Amino acid sequence: MAELVSFAVPTESDKTLLVWELSSGPTAEALHHSLFTVFSQFGLLYSVRVFPNAAVARPGFYAIIKFYSARDAHRAQKACHEKHLFQNSPVKVRLGTKHKAVQHRALALNSSQCQELANYYFGFNGWSKRIIKLQDLSDLEERENEDAAVPLQKQSLKFFCALEVVLPLYGCRSPGVGMAEEPLEKLEDGPLSFLMKRKTTQKLAIQKAVSDAFQKLLIVVLESGKIAVEYRPCEEITDARTEEELQDLIQVSYFSWKQDGQGEEECLSDLSFEEDEFKPPELD
């Protein structure tokens, strides 16, 4: 069956691995590096988090690893459970299957995470972005000409960006918008500081627009390993967008292709856990 991978923070338990019985010898930082090296061989990782065992348990660590793909997480669990990996004793790896009763709206990935995910599935040359509009909404000159000057600390730089992410191999275009605002607090900063802050604000607006564009795309990973893309403009994903951004959104044409018979792979594991509630298993 096909698997769906979205440009959102993975919260599904079938994409989360619990690794315990990690040795107490290495530091948490060293364990993080070792775990990332081992588990990234099975697919793109969203996060690797290492925690010390509870005081009542044997000294050591456990880790929670999140994949973007449930299929990759399942393969990693089967391959690594009861294996020594990078230490003398075997580790235990389980895949979560328990779902929370309250389903929260998906949390959007930031721009760099979206690009990392796109590079992994589409390739570095498999996608591009095209800026349609980058508009300065600061109105600083207008304020300077007013009779009653506005204190600088109440002024700010504001930029709006509209762009589209283009996937030429899939005939797909996805529009996105972003708004960024940075306050101007110190008059003595000088023109160089002003230009640097202006550049930073522009970059932030572009990054938000890139993230917004990717949220409308869904990666369809077929069982054969081939990739398809679905465009879904009405998907609700948590993102801080103002009414002004929505009003300024520039509509662009797009073509979407949806593969028939798509579905999410079922996960075959017997362990249930919640990340926030988990306590390492008691050891004999």
Side-chain angles (χ1 to χ4, degrees):
M1 298 178 66
E3 181 181 10
L4 308 180
V5 179
S6 62
F7 287 86
V9 175
T11 58
E12 301 89 341
S13 54
D14 60 354
K15 297 180 180 179
T16 304
L17 291 183
L18 169 65
V19 184
W20 75 95
E21 294 198 0
L22 296 171
S23 173
S24 60
T27 63
E29 290 76 14
L31 283 173
H32 181 280
H33 175 74
S34 298
L35 288 166
F36 184 89
T37 300
V38 170
F39 285 91
S40 61
Q41 300 176 38
F42 299 94
L44 186 62
L45 302 179
Y46 169 74
S47 66
V48 176
R49 302 172 65 192
V50 179
F51 306 91
N53 287 342
V56 295
R58 183 184 305 168
F61 297 88
Y62 70 96
I64 294 176
I65 302 174
K66 289 184 178 292
F67 284 82
Y68 286 101
S69 163
R71 181 178 297 170
D72 293 342
H74 182 65
R75 291 192 302 110
Q77 189 276 326
K78 292 184 64 177
C80 297
H81 181 55
E82 296 289 358
K83 298 298 190 299
H84 290 259
L85 299 182
F86 46 81
Q87 62 183 38
N88 294 328
S89 58
V91 301
K92 292 186 178 180
V93 184
R94 284 292 183 267
L95 188 65
T97 58
K98 184 177 180 180
H99 296 272
K100 295 182 179 180
V102 179
Q103 296 293 331
H104 299 283
R105 293 170 62 189
L107 183 63
L109 296 177
N110 62 37
S111 173
S112 61
Q113 292 169 329
C114 287
Q115 294 179 67
E116 182 183 33
L117 189 58
N119 290 339
Y120 183 81
Y121 282 102
F122 306 136
F124 290 92
N125 298 321
W127 68 277
S128 63
K129 66 175 182 289
R130 183 176 72 90
I131 296 178
I132 301 173
K133 185 177 184 180
L134 183 59
Q135 184 176 357
D136 186 352
L137 304 178
S138 306
D139 296 331
L140 295 179
E141 294 182 359
E142 179 179 343
R143 292 184 177 184
E144 292 175 356
N145 295 331
E146 293 178 356
D147 295 336
V150 178
L152 187 59
Q153 60 269 23
K154 293 184 179 180
Q155 296 187 18
S156 62
L157 289 170
K158 182 185 295 185
F159 279 88
F160 167 80
C161 178
L163 54 73
E164 64 178 4
V165 167
V166 183
L167 303 174
L169 294 179
Y170 306 95
C172 183
R173 298 172 181 264
S174 179
V177 294
M179 182 83 72
E181 185 173 6
E182 288 290 333
L184 294 174
E185 299 176 351
K186 298 180 180 180
L187 181 62
E188 60 272 14
D189 281 348
L192 180 59
S193 176
F194 175 82
L195 291 176
M196 291 297 294
K197 182 164 289 191
R198 178 183 172 89
K199 182 178 180 180
T200 300
T201 309
Q202 288 178 331
K203 183 178 180 180
L204 184 57
I206 295 172
Q207 290 175 342
K208 289 185 176 182
V210 169
S211 177
D212 182 62
F214 274 116
Q215 306 318 309
K216 304 178 181 71
L217 297 177
L218 187 66
I219 302 170
V220 183
V221 185
L222 306 179
E223 192 170 0
S224 63
K226 294 184 178 181
I227 304 298
V229 178
E230 180 185 354
Y231 178 78
R232 43 176 195 172
C234 297
E235 186 72 14
E236 291 187 1
I237 297 182
T238 302
D239 191 13
R241 279 204 298 238
T242 64
E243 292 184 2
E244 188 173 10
E245 288 180 59
L246 297 177
Q247 292 172 358
D248 288 342
L249 173 61
I250 297 178
Q251 300 292 340
V252 298
S253 60
Y254 68 90
F255 171 81
S256 63
W257 177 70
K258 182 176 181 181
Q259 175 71 24
D260 294 335
Q262 50 188 298
E264 295 186 0
E265 180 181 14
E266 294 182 355
C267 191
L268 305 177
S269 177
D270 56 357
L271 179 67
S272 300
F273 68 91
E274 295 279 355
E275 177 178 347
D276 297 335
E277 301 174 356
F278 172 75
K279 296 181 180 178
E282 296 183 2
L283 302 176
D284 296 333

